[in-house]
Amino acid sequence: MAIIKNLQTEEIVVLFSEHNFGRGKHNRTVVPGNDISKSHAVVSFVDNAWYLADQSSNGTLFKGKRINHLSMKLAAGNQIQFGQEQDTIWLVLNVNPPICFLESLSENKEIIELSTYSAYPNEESPEVSFYRTADNRWHVDNGLQTIALTHGQSLFFADKEWCFYENEVLDQTLCIPEISVETCFLFSLSVDEEEVAIKIKINNLELDLGQHTYNQVLLALARKRQADLEKGCQETELGWISMEKLTFLLGKELLKEIDNYYVNLQIHRLRKRLMELNPFGHLLSNVIERRNGELRFEHNNFRINKENAIGSLN
């Protein structure tokens, strides 16, 4: 994402895909001064580049030259001056494309850029994770529930308050394939169930999750959903299981003590793996849902096959 810095105040500003500057309070960045127009200039991301467009009465200094009602392409190192005062001079630090981000509301602002999948503070010990679902919305998983994020929404984690900002250019309607109905999760279990392999079949395409510890978590959740389907439970209540019961079941299966941190870490690793499975893995990022300390496997279409004594699946 593109960042500019005020050379006098040292304020750091992240540029939005359309970023207005001026004296009026409606601007994203308010620039005070009698020689500043109410709507002085706009910086926009167009055709993979950033452009400064002057809209003022007095003009804008760009690289030391005054422009008036002109549009100029930005590059790192450019200086922009909106008025006569020194506190109206900004330096372009970089011209990276706009992306969604989080900004801490503390005095020393911290910024977290959101890639396709992000974990904080790190992937080895995630306190929260952020991921995009098939409807192109960002969600946060805090270990207790998943929340769909909206622009300007406040969050609290890591002992700080944060604000989520949508900041992407969507020039055309995104074409997102409707794969939910066409998707089938195939669980293949060894006789002793110590080995669990999962493949995801989408039409004639197969995505391989391989054999990983998080497969045991997904299997336990799928079995709970299967049991509820057989009971005839309503769709809204299918498959939900408390974290306490899930850790107990996994502990019995894996023959070791399992805690919430362990389960949350496996879910994080599962989502990260799905994001890496091209071309459709990222559309299944919400395969595990949460609500108030409960979890469930989100899909109804799955098969659990177990090897018999002679090694074939049934």
Side-chain angles (χ1 to χ4, degrees):
M1 57 189 180
I3 296 175
I4 61 174
K5 178 181 179 180
N6 189 290
L7 291 185
Q8 184 173 81
T9 66
E10 298 189 345
E11 178 185 0
I12 295 293
V13 168
V14 175
L15 289 178
F16 284 78
S17 55
E18 186 168 297
H19 200 114
N20 300 87
F21 296 83
R23 182 163 42 88
K25 293 183 179 180
H26 65 280
N27 292 283
R28 192 170 291 280
T29 297
V30 176
V31 183
N34 294 330
D35 57 343
I36 304 296
S37 298
K38 288 184 179 179
S39 298
H40 195 98
V42 59
V43 173
S44 305
F45 189 75
V46 181
D47 295 332
N48 294 316
W50 289 95
Y51 291 87
L52 166 70
D54 176 74
Q55 301 173 335
S56 69
S57 302
N58 297 323
T60 299
L61 285 179
F62 176 67
K63 297 196 295 185
K65 296 182 179 180
R66 187 171 302 279
I67 61 171
N68 193 264
H69 293 269
L70 292 175
S71 181
M72 306 297 291
K73 187 176 180 179
L74 295 179
N78 290 165
Q79 281 194 22
I80 305 169
Q81 184 170 350
F82 298 110
Q84 293 182 351
E85 300 300 327
Q86 293 298 302
D87 61 0
T88 67
I89 304 176
W90 296 80
L91 175 67
V92 179
L93 297 184
N94 68 63
V95 287
N96 297 333
I99 62 171
C100 298
F101 66 97
L102 293 150
E103 186 176 61
S104 67
L105 302 182
S106 57
E107 185 176 346
N108 296 323
K109 290 186 177 181
E110 182 180 352
I111 294 172
I112 301 174
E113 299 183 31
L114 296 179
S115 58
T116 308
Y117 184 86
S118 302
Y120 187 90
N122 54 62
E123 292 187 358
E124 288 70 36
S125 184
E127 179 180 336
V128 292
S129 58
F130 300 88
Y131 61 95
R132 180 172 277 158
T133 50
D135 58 3
N136 208 42
R137 295 188 65 185
W138 278 98
H139 289 65
V140 57
D141 185 339
N142 62 12
L144 295 175
Q145 58 184 338
T146 54
I147 304 169
L149 297 175
T150 56
H151 180 72
Q153 183 171 347
S154 293
L155 303 168
F156 191 86
F157 61 89
D159 298 323
K160 296 179 185 177
E161 187 175 4
W162 303 76
C163 190
F164 167 73
Y165 293 105
E166 291 186 87
N167 186 27
E168 290 178 332
V169 179
L170 298 178
D171 292 329
Q172 56 187 6
T173 303
L174 292 174
C175 181
I176 301 174
E178 187 64 46
I179 67 168
S180 301
V181 178
E182 305 163 356
T183 302
C184 182
F185 281 75
L186 306 174
F187 294 80
S188 300
L189 283 58
S190 61
V191 176
D192 55 10
E193 298 193 12
E194 287 187 2
E195 297 180 0
V196 178
I198 301 177
K199 292 184 178 180
I200 308 168
K201 189 172 183 180
I202 304 172
N203 292 334
N204 296 322
L205 180 68
E206 240 181 30
L207 306 180
D208 192 353
L209 280 178
Q211 296 184 23
H212 297 279
T213 307
Y214 50 67
N215 290 3
Q216 293 284 357
V217 176
L218 210 55
L219 174 63
L221 294 174
R223 280 178 161 162
K224 178 62 168 67
R225 191 175 189 95
Q226 186 177 53
D228 286 354
L229 282 167
E230 292 171 356
K231 291 177 185 176
C233 295
Q234 293 183 351
E235 172 63 32
T236 55
E237 299 305 312
L238 280 175
W240 289 109
I241 185 172
S242 69
M243 178 66 86
E244 181 181 3
K245 187 170 183 179
L246 179 61
T247 55
F248 173 76
L249 291 175
L250 289 171
K252 285 182 62 178
E253 185 65 36
L254 300 175
L255 301 177
K256 63 180 182 180
E257 187 174 344
I258 302 296
D259 59 11
N260 294 8
Y261 172 80
Y262 177 89
V263 173
N264 289 331
L265 183 61
Q266 298 311 314
I267 293 172
H268 158 73
R269 289 174 175 170
L270 168 63
R271 284 208 182 103
K272 187 173 185 294
R273 175 59 180 151
L274 285 169
M275 293 297 179
E276 297 168 348
L277 284 178
N278 293 320
F280 297 130
H282 67 285
L283 299 178
L284 301 168
S285 59
N286 209 30
V287 64
I288 295 179
E289 296 180 315
R290 293 187 192 262
R291 69 172 188 190
N292 301 322
E294 293 183 314
L295 308 90
R296 75 167 177 178
F297 178 64
E298 191 264 344
H299 282 272
N300 279 331
N301 195 10
F302 61 92
R303 293 204 306 269
I304 301 174
N305 298 317
K306 184 175 179 179
E307 286 186 354
N308 58 31
I310 59 174
S312 61
L313 292 172
N314 55 34

